[in-house]
Amino acid sequence: MNDPLLIALLVALAAAASALAAVFAMRGRQKGGAEFEAGVMRLASQQAELAGRLSAMADAQAKAQGELARTLNERLDQVGHRVGTSIEETSAKTVETLGNLAARLAIIDEAQKNITDLSSQVVGLQDILANKQARGAFGEVQLQDIVKNALPPSAYAFQVTLNGGTRADCLIHLPNPPGSIAIDAKFPLDAYHLLRNAKDDGERALAQRQFRADLLKHVSDISGKYIVPGETAESALMFLPSEAVYAELHANFSDVVTKSYQARVWIVSPTTLMATLNTVRAVLKDVEMRKQAGVIQKYVGLLLQDVGRLGGRVESLEKHFQQAEKDIRDIRTSADQITKRGEKIHDVELGEADAKEALTAARPSVERDLLASE
């Protein structure tokens, strides 16, 4: 009953009823009292009927509003439950995500710390490489690591003094030919940096000349110091401990490579040195197998002699078995004859005196049979 639309409708109907009552009153005054009263009665009846309908409509409206409110409350409860569940799930996922994020941030912090340490190590490495003596020691250490990983200890020696008084960084022991091969580590880093950092063609040309001159000097020194007739092989190795320097050399300085070939100095990088040492290891293995070939042949001959003696002893044993088999057959023949003689004696039915005479007469023949069987 509190619906504003319904109240407005009732007010409009009341106003219409009042207007109709005024109209009928005016007509009643004009036509007379009887008709006026009849009209008032009809109007009152219609007004009562209208009020009943309006009351029914109000009740239906109130019922519909209650149903609507209940439905809305249920829907709101469902929505609230879903929103609460969604908020809880979202909160749990948010907490999990924040935990994962914290773990990853910790990993990132650790990686940042490692990068910082690595940066300090790189700076330290740059300081080492800036000094020529330290740079040379760096190349020697790298050379030693590669050689130790590729060859057995008996196949190499470090810091070996040759007959001419020069000291090789490494000497690979190989049989003649070709003989021991000397390896010397060189690191022309200054000229390479000038070449990489050249800003114009003039600086690049100057750096190329210095790079070429440094490498050719190293090739000449190695060829003169580490190729010693009668002591080393007719060639030597120059180890460049940088793949970048080695790549630059073969890409843009083919004339230096050609002159190194002519001087019998083979320039190698860490990768190519490893491949070369693997080949050397195969050669050493082949040499060792050849050394052991004579020993193997000697023991094979001794083994054949043992097999021959074993065959003779088996043959002798076979003869013994054959003789034993013959003796067994002879013994069996004698036993059969003795059995037959005994049966003959058993079949003779004589007195005691006659039996003695028969045995005495039969003894020579039995002895002859025994002797014949033997």
Side-chain angles (χ1 to χ4, degrees), residues 12-130:
L13 290 174
S18 299
L20 289 173
V23 171
F24 280 113
M26 288 177 64
R27 290 183 178 179
R29 290 190 186 98
Q30 293 175 0
K31 295 182 179 181
E35 293 180 0
F36 173 74
E37 291 179 0
V40 171
M41 292 296 291
R42 287 194 300 272
L43 180 61
S45 176
Q46 293 176 356
Q47 188 173 3
E49 183 180 357
L50 179 61
R53 292 181 179 180
L54 290 175
S55 178
M57 290 177 61
D59 292 339
Q61 183 69 23
K63 184 177 180 181
Q65 287 182 349
E67 186 67 23
L68 179 61
R70 185 181 63 78
T71 303
L72 288 175
N73 289 331
E74 291 178 356
R75 297 289 178 86
L76 288 174
D77 290 339
Q78 293 177 359
V79 171
H81 178 70
R82 291 179 181 176
V83 170
T85 304
S86 178
I87 290 174
E88 291 178 359
E89 293 178 353
T90 304
S91 299
K93 291 181 179 179
T94 302
V95 171
E96 183 181 359
T97 303
L98 290 176
N100 294 334
L101 181 61
R104 292 181 181 180
L105 287 175
I107 295 174
I108 292 173
D109 291 338
E110 185 67 23
Q112 182 68 30
K113 181 180 178 181
N114 293 334
I115 290 173
T116 303
D117 296 340
L118 182 61
S119 299
S120 62
Q121 293 175 6
V122 169
V123 172
L125 180 61
Q126 290 178 349
D127 294 338
I128 292 174
L129 297 180

